[in-house]
Amino acid sequence: MNRQAILDVLNSLKVVDMNGGDDAYLLVDNSEEVRQKLNAVGVTEDVIQRYGDDDSFCVLALAFGEKYADGYEKGKFVLWGPIDDEFRDRVLNGEGTAMDAERLLRALEPEVFGKTEHWIVWDNEDGLIGTYESYDDALKDYENAKSAVERYVREEGEFSTDEEVIIAKIQKHFYSHDTEKAVMKYDEDDNEVPTGDTYWDFTEDDYTKR
């Protein structure tokens, strides 16, 4: 999955309705053209429908619910780069944004923000429904999945014996990620130039230590 390619598409979509504050949302038309653009970068129809209805869906909820975006800055979904020496120097010299400063503080003193908890919701039909930093958000999708399973059994008039919905707290998370470090090559003049690709690596989040 190329998260940047997904964000490029999300950032290109026309917002038809929006709201800020605690109940923030950014709605776009749920049209065939929009779905095709997202399908082309790996966002499935099921994922899109999870965040709206037949008329529209919320790209804000989709971007953060599916962990495609790390932040939303100046009207655009963004990925955060690594917290390296360049990043630290930029923040300490007063050249970073408020979000940059918060990221650095979270990395250096996580106890200031309290212990971070992460949750997953899973069912036998869709597999992993989502990962969440908010228990309330996870519980909402858990209850929705439960209702869907109960409704299916009522409509079919029988159990398949596979019905199951789980909400669970994540202790550790191991995954691949884009380091955003450019892959370089030499051109015909022996100059080092970027290929357009980036290096990937593994990382592991240990939430038991936060």
Side-chain angles (χ1 to χ4, degrees), residues 1-4 6-7 10 47 50-51 59-71 78-79 116-120 128-134 137 170 173 175-176 205 207:
M1 176 184 67
N2 187 329
R3 293 170 65 199
Q4 186 58 61
I6 294 172
L7 296 190
L10 292 178
V47 168
R50 195 178 298 160
Y51 297 96
V59 290
L60 188 66
L62 186 151
F64 289 107
E66 299 299 318
K67 306 300 182 186
Y68 297 144
D70 291 327
V78 296
L79 290 178
T116 302
E117 293 184 341
H118 289 71
W119 304 83
I120 63 170
L128 181 64
I129 294 174
T131 61
Y132 313 83
E133 293 184 9
S134 163
D137 290 343
I170 302 173
H173 183 195
Y175 56 95
S176 62
D205 294 332
Y207 301 121

Side-chain angles (χ1 to χ4, degrees), residues 75-134:
K76 298 290 184 182
F77 295 108
V78 296
L79 290 178
W80 289 336
I83 298 180
D84 53 17
D85 289 341
E86 181 183 352
F87 179 88
R88 292 186 183 91
D89 290 343
R90 187 168 72 247
V91 173
L92 295 176
N93 291 334
E95 299 171 356
T97 65
M99 189 171 290
D100 288 338
E102 180 180 330
R103 284 184 62 209
L104 184 58
L105 184 59
R106 283 182 181 273
L108 296 176
E109 300 185 55
E111 65 278 2
V112 172
F113 297 90
K115 189 172 181 180
T116 302
E117 293 184 341
H118 289 71
W119 304 83
I120 63 170
V121 177
W122 178 97
D123 73 8
N124 65 292
E125 182 67 26
D126 296 320
L128 181 64
I129 294 174
T131 61
Y132 313 83
E133 293 184 9
S134 163

